[in-house]
Structure formats: structure tokens, C-alpha cells
Amino acid sequence: TVDIETDSVSLTSNDEESKREETDSGAKRSNFLTSRSPRKYSFSCLGLNPRDDESTDPGACIGVDFGGTLTKVVFFEDDSVSESAKELTEYVLSTTKYGRTGERDTHLQLGCPRFGGKFHFTRFESSHTEGAVKLLKSKLRHRIQILHGTGGGAHKYKSLFKRELGIDMEPHDELATVVTGIVYILLEHPDTECYT
């Protein structure tokens, strides 16, 4: 359930069958998922707070998931682009094609009124990660210090990003990141459907 007035989401089950299930002896026991109180989520408990544009690393606007086949990149375009992120924002928005396999999915663009901006989603074949790094190196004089990533590539390509771009890769737990993203979308867009 989503409570718009309190900016919270509760994860519960309304199915009475899932609350209790029969055991072989006929005794009833509580289902693990519903035996506890529903957990409420809010923007603040997700750690999602507006950034201080002038002091924040532009890498805070980017998240990367290194998959086995595709690498997915989400970029947050701030409505009031800071000087440190201006060149990066202009490059991302200048085209929908990057290198041989990179593509920005414009139909997936997602508004973010709470933080004043939009999310853009790009992807490229993971086998072209080294080429993507070379492309970034040739196109941008970036100021990114830290890049946040999930998947095995966040570890595999850590030294490549440091050596070629001077960027520290900060790996994050993939499942926790997915759950945070789903809860965020439910909070930000409670009247829309969310598929994973």
C-alpha cells in the first residue's frame, strides 16, 4: 500500500490464505512473510535526500549495473545542472547512441519531481566495457571521483576505471539496490505500475 500523505509504502499481503497455512498435523502456524508488522518505507529511510550540487561529485548522478550480457547505466539529469556535471549532462543528452552498442532508451525516461530532474537509462553490451571507458576518456574532461556500481563488473572493472579514468568504483549489493529502486518508484509515482 502507498500512503501519499506520509510518503510511505507498506509491504503487506491481503491474502488470508498466505497468513496461515495448514501443517500435516492440522495445526495452524503463521506465515513467515506476514507474521511481523508491515514495514513502512519513506524517502528518508532509503537515504534519498537532495544533494548539494556544488559540493557533490558528478558520479553521484550515475549508477551502473554490470550484467553478464548488458551493462545498464542510469543517469540523473538535475534541472539545475551544477558546473561540475554540466559537460557530462550535455554529452549524455546530445545523442541516443554511444559507440557501437551504447543506446539511451528515451521511452524509459522518468521524471523525478521530488529532486527536480529526470532519470535517463542507457545500456551497452558488457563485452564493450573497455571501449566504453575509452570513449568516455576521449569525449569528457569529467570530474567524477566515485562511480557506484552493482554486478560482478563493479569488481572486475574496478582497476580499469581507476587506471584509465581515475575513478574509484564503489560496489553495492545488487538486490538491496533493486529493492531501494522499486520502493523509490512506488513513492515517487504511486499511481503507476512498476515492473522489474
Side-chain angles (χ1 to χ4, degrees):
T1 59
V2 177
D3 185 344
I4 298 170
E5 292 180 17
T6 62
D7 286 335
S8 66
V9 174
S10 296
L11 300 180
T12 60
S13 170
N14 294 327
D15 182 4
E16 286 300 317
E17 288 296 316
S18 69
K19 290 182 182 175
R20 301 227 175 245
E21 54 186 43
E22 296 283 336
T23 63
D24 290 338
S25 64
K28 293 190 177 208
R29 61 182 169 89
S30 294
N31 183 311
F32 173 75
L33 293 174
T34 57
S35 63
R36 293 181 257 160
S37 302
R39 180 164 180 193
K40 290 204 177 227
Y41 293 90
S42 66
F43 284 102
S44 60
C45 80
L46 293 175
L48 301 173
N49 299 305
R51 351 178 233 97
D52 177 359
D53 289 332
E54 292 307 315
S55 65
T56 302
D57 176 1
C61 298
I62 304 168
V64 184
D65 175 44
F66 296 92
T69 303
L70 286 178
T71 294
K72 288 76 67 184
V73 181
V74 63
F75 174 77
F76 180 72
E77 173 197 2
D78 197 324
D79 286 342
S80 56
V81 178
S82 68
E83 198 57 42
S84 63
K86 188 175 183 177
E87 184 182 14
L88 180 62
T89 302
E90 287 173 355
Y91 176 68
V92 169
L93 300 179
S94 69
T95 185
T96 58
K97 302 283 186 191
Y98 312 93
R100 280 190 262 157
T101 66
E103 188 171 341
R104 181 163 48 98
D105 295 312
T106 56
H107 65 283
L108 296 178
Q109 181 176 299
L110 181 67
C112 179
R114 177 169 294 275
F115 300 119
K118 305 178 193 114
F119 287 105
H120 299 275
F121 299 89
T122 63
R123 58 188 156 78
F124 61 90
E125 292 177 15
S126 296
S127 61
H128 292 253
T129 299
E130 290 185 28
V133 167
K134 287 177 185 171
L135 180 69
L136 285 175
K137 189 174 182 176
S138 70
K139 296 280 186 188
L140 296 174
R141 294 180 324 270
H142 68 84
R143 295 184 176 106
I144 298 170
Q145 297 168 3
I146 297 174
L147 194 59
H148 301 272
T150 61
H155 300 279
K156 179 179 179 180
Y157 298 114
K158 191 173 189 169
S159 63
L160 174 69
F161 276 84
K162 185 64 172 177
R163 182 179 67 247
E164 296 295 324
L165 299 170
I167 296 174
D168 290 316
M169 179 68 67
E170 188 172 310
H172 293 272
D173 179 75
E174 191 165 356
L175 186 56
T177 303
V178 168
V179 170
T180 299
I182 290 170
V183 172
Y184 164 77
I185 289 174
L186 290 172
L187 287 168
E188 185 73 52
H189 300 280
D191 297 326
T192 60
E193 297 177 274
C194 176
Y195 298 97
T196 58

